[in-house]
Amino acid sequence: MNTNHTIGMNIGYRKGTLVSGLLFFVALFLPFIKDGDHNRNMVGLLPKLLTADMRVTGKILYLAIPVLALVLLGVGIALFMRPSRKMAICYSIVAALETALTVFTLFSSKSLLDKAHVLEHKFMVSHFGFGFWIMLVCGFVTLFCAMRTAKVHPGYILLTILSVIWLFPITWIILTAFRAESGYYVGYFFPKGLTFNNFVQLFSDTSLIHFGKWWTNTLLVATCNCILTSLIVLMTAFSLSKTRFGGRMMLMKIMLIIGMFPGFMSMVAVYNILKGIGIAQTLGALILVNAAGAAMGYYIVKGFFDTIPKSLDEAALLDGATKWQVFTKITIPMSKPVIIYTVLTSFIGPWGDYIFPSMMLGDNQSQYTVALGLNWLTDFRRIDAYYTQFAAGALLISLPIVILFVALQRFYVEGMSGAVKG
Amino acid sequence: MKKITFIKAFREGDIFSKISYLIWGLSNMVRGQIVKGLAFLAIEITYIIFMITSGVNHIENLLTLGTQEQGMVFNEEIGIYEIAQGDNSMLFLLYGVATIVYSLVVIAVWIISVGSGERARIAKENGHHVPGFVDECKALLDKKIYRTFLAIPFVGILVFTITPLIYMILMAFTNYDANHQPPGNLFKWVGLETFRQILSANNNISATFWPVLGWTLVWGVIATFSCYFLGMFLAILINSDGIRGKKIWRTIFMLTMAIPAFVSLLVVSTMLGSNGIINVLLQKWGFTTQALPFLTNGTWAKVTIIIVNLWIGIPATMLMVTGILMNIPKELYESAKIDGAGPVKTFTKITFPYMLFITTPYLITNLIGNFNNFGVIYFMTGGGPSTLDYYKGAGKTDLLVTWLYKLTKDNNDFNYAAALGIIIFVLSATISLITYSRSKAIKDEEGFQ
């Protein structure tokens, strides 16, 4: 065997490639679909399909499967006889195409076959014969083996599938935000018309949707929370990590214990206290209470501070620095990732915070934050009229946060892993 | 320097020290710390005035929770019945708790003042410099910086976390339910009656509590470990050598984490409704002929929620694990490879033990977080589908926390809600204590320093 060709290959898998490719070919002659009382195989179905009144793309789809199966078999044999990396990659591409087509058949058969009246009855997925399922499985197995042979990581298959699942709801909400037809129930995925109107309405239709107001409210809360929480968390973490005093362990234990009570259990009481001060149902109350509890979230920052070598502080203290200088000149400059992480999360927090504002603000709609407003829009009495606007609003607040988050994910990872790399 | 204790100070101190137990700050003033001494004194006087004018009254009311019920009183002058304002048990409870917390803080100040006076006396007797007001202020930015830094958080937590918490805990020992609502009615102390009702098996409330508790436990364990292992798997997959475009893959999965949770949950729950897009598509593709009850059937809803939670939880674990994976020493993997270990063996012998060592605290926090995972349940099903077998409005997918929320917000059964809160606390605390005490990562606080 010519070793030059097999460099960068995993030829042990080529047998699997051939076998599954062969099986795919054989499956063409196995029961593909139930038509009335008898089963038809792919080859038997083809003449009926090609003569039916079907869109050309549909015909191409069903024709492409057996054709590609032949190509697959041919390339498979060639690969087995004379393995080369180029051939393996070529094989992978064909297998990927074939698999994609088979998956596509699974989802599009109903609309294609029903419209063309190919079958005697309405099509259901359960009408697929075991030949089809063998094709589906073999498609993936062939692809897997082919990628292994070409030494391409087969993890791509799984990642692609997962990405589709993960992006599905996100795609849906983006499409809905631009959908021209209003309403919650529509019988299709892709909108018939696209428009910017939903976004315009969010700001212009002030009779019901005060989106602009909600947005500025949330921005105010988020900004204040970001500044106050970051300062408080940094100071608390510094005190607990870098200074030693009587009752330090006790303080940490108490905070740990308090943290185990469900947070909103005491909200009724908090509400009563705020009412006593006279600021209940205002944004000020929300900011105040957020800041008051901020210290409880010191853990991550303290964990990071703990990894800054003690010797640095000691050296500075020996040189006559005060603890305040240690804080501002050593600890803060060395903790950039975790500080950015704290600032970021405390800014993002209020945008998604629902339960707490809902308890604090009650029915005072002029003080609503985005989360409260959007949830209010999806109430069953309003969802039908405002679903597209809801989607537009959801998109509008998610976009900046997503951009912030993605741009700063580095700091998240670094903030978690400490100041000194192992 | 000798340690000063509250009692020892009395035995060893001079006459001024002894008097300063009654007149706070006197000892400080005598040694020249005038401002500090006056501050202690001012705190004492304010407290005494407060206690005389209203404090004692609050404590008394806390014990009775009010005796005068609101009722109709005949007004002889006008000749009609009038509403006579009764006692408001709820306010009595709140004021009583506030008074107690205030008293505790003042007692703490008392102890501090005695210690401070004693320290000043010892310094003076030994001929040391007694720190003046300016010196003390400077120390607040140096050795005692923790006092400056912790002052605001301390007050915040005291007022807005601890006081309300005590208030709610005490509520569990009253009969403050829907039938005893102030200001119309009084409620009173009933001891452990509320707990008995929740735990004993013969009424509607305990018939709700046990199934809800069961589902909370099942949910917490499944949700935590499924996300943990699958997220770890995903992180390892993306991190493996042959995969290109690591950043792009990671970003795709992180999108669900970056989008505010309530948005993605609301969107997904509207998608899963009987008219939602998923049911529409399933019918269009020919998978089913009628809408599937994703969120309306108890069992379906439970499975759906667990799956949707994967959608949100896997990226979170992935992101955290990615950071740790990068920190695992490369040499470990290299030597494993030389010894002929396959990917499975590498995982079970190196990656997983390392990961478990570091992530145990995360895992516990996550488990407790999931027991209290309000968001997923509230936005997906709102606890529903509701059932008549359960107490007022509780549903098949309600966790203890969402039920607690309903009890306070919809039903005004504050005593049951408070008792549930305590039960949740006991649950969380037990799990934490058992695992934390065994976890090395916690004990090894200074391991890196």
Side-chain angles (χ1 to χ4, degrees), chain A residues 137-173:
Chain A
V137 173
C138 282
F140 280 107
V141 174
T142 320
L143 183 59
F144 177 84
C145 292
M147 287 173 88
R148 263 287 151 93
T149 316
K151 271 207 170 165
V152 177
H153 203 293
Y156 286 118
I157 308 172
L158 192 62
L159 284 177
T160 311
I161 296 172
L162 288 178
S163 302
V164 171
I165 297 173
W166 248 258
L167 293 177
F168 179 73
I170 297 169
T171 320
W172 166 248
I173 208 66

Side-chain angles (χ1 to χ4, degrees), chain B residues 6-19:
Chain B
F6 190 65
I7 296 163
K8 216 161 100 190
F10 189 78
R11 227 184 310 127
E12 294 176 0
D14 60 7
I15 182 75
F16 293 114
S17 309
K18 280 170 188 165
I19 295 176

Side-chain angles (χ1 to χ4, degrees), chain A residues 107 110 124-125 153 156 163 166 184-185 239 244 260 265 269 302 306 322-324 351 354-355 371 387, chain B residues 141-142 149 167-168 240 242 244 249 255 258 262 270 275 284-286 311 378 405 421 432 445-446 449:
Chain A
F107 291 113
K110 183 168 174 69
M124 292 298 294
V125 168
H153 203 293
Y156 286 118
S163 302
W166 248 258
Y184 167 48
Y185 174 80
S239 308
R244 291 289 180 269
M260 282 176 199
M265 174 175 149
K302 178 183 178 285
D306 281 345
T322 62
K323 283 268 182 187
W324 170 254
W351 294 92
Y354 173 80
I355 159 94
Y387 193 60
Chain B
L141 281 181
D142 192 9
F149 277 7
Y167 173 71
M168 283 308 281
S240 49
R244 282 193 208 168
W249 292 116
L255 281 177
F262 86 95
T270 59
N275 280 338
K284 217 177 147 189
W285 291 333
W311 184 68
Y378 184 79
Y405 177 79
S432 308
E445 184 192 24
E446 296 185 9
Q449 288 185 351

Side-chain angles (χ1 to χ4, degrees), chain A residues 36-260:
Chain A
D37 291 333
H38 52 280
N39 288 315
R40 282 179 187 280
N41 62 24
M42 189 82 198
V43 180
L45 188 69
L46 262 184
K48 207 173 168 184
L49 278 171
L50 293 176
T51 51
D53 178 26
M54 200 198 288
R55 270 185 293 167
V56 184
T57 43
K59 287 181 185 173
I60 293 175
L61 170 70
Y62 288 109
L63 193 60
I65 291 179
V67 171
L68 276 178
L70 259 175
V71 176
L72 210 56
L73 195 61
V75 182
I77 293 169
L79 182 69
F80 190 76
M81 306 308 266
R82 277 189 63 111
S84 80
R85 187 148 194 273
K86 254 187 204 156
M87 192 67 103
I89 288 175
C90 176
Y91 192 85
S92 302
I93 294 170
V94 177
L97 212 61
E98 180 79 315
T99 313
L101 282 179
T102 322
V103 172
F104 192 66
T105 313
L106 177 65
F107 291 113
S108 64
S109 280
K110 183 168 174 69
S111 79
L112 285 173
L113 297 180
D114 277 0
K115 257 184 216 152
H117 301 290
V118 178
L119 303 179
E120 289 173 21
H121 48 74
K122 289 270 178 217
F123 170 82
M124 292 298 294
V125 168
S126 53
H127 295 160
F128 275 127
F130 65 92
F132 172 78
W133 300 113
I134 290 179
M135 277 157 73
L136 195 63
V137 173
C138 282
F140 280 107
V141 174
T142 320
L143 183 59
F144 177 84
C145 292
M147 287 173 88
R148 263 287 151 93
T149 316
K151 271 207 170 165
V152 177
H153 203 293
Y156 286 118
I157 308 172
L158 192 62
L159 284 177
T160 311
I161 296 172
L162 288 178
S163 302
V164 171
I165 297 173
W166 248 258
L167 293 177
F168 179 73
I170 297 169
T171 320
W172 166 248
I173 208 66
I174 294 174
L175 289 176
T176 309
F178 289 103
R179 195 171 71 199
E181 315 89 72
S182 69
Y184 167 48
Y185 174 80
V186 281
Y188 43 83
F189 188 74
F190 292 100
K192 298 228 149 72
L194 296 176
T195 176
F196 273 106
N197 249 338
N198 297 322
F199 294 93
V200 177
Q201 272 170 7
L202 272 184
F203 294 97
S204 58
D205 178 11
T206 45
S207 59
L208 238 162
I209 312 174
H210 313 281
F211 192 79
K213 183 87 186 125
W214 298 340
W215 199 86
T216 41
N217 281 346
T218 318
L219 185 67
L220 178 74
V221 175
T223 313
C224 294
N225 188 48
C226 170
I227 297 167
L228 293 174
T229 301
S230 305
L231 285 178
I232 289 175
V233 166
L234 285 179
M235 294 191 315
T236 311
F238 181 81
S239 308
L240 295 176
S241 168
K242 295 287 168 194
T243 63
R244 291 289 180 269
F245 54 92
R248 188 183 70 101
M249 288 310 272
M250 172 100 123
L251 208 62
M252 280 163 43
K253 272 180 196 150
I254 290 175
M255 290 219 251
L256 189 71
I257 289 169
I258 293 173
M260 282 176 199

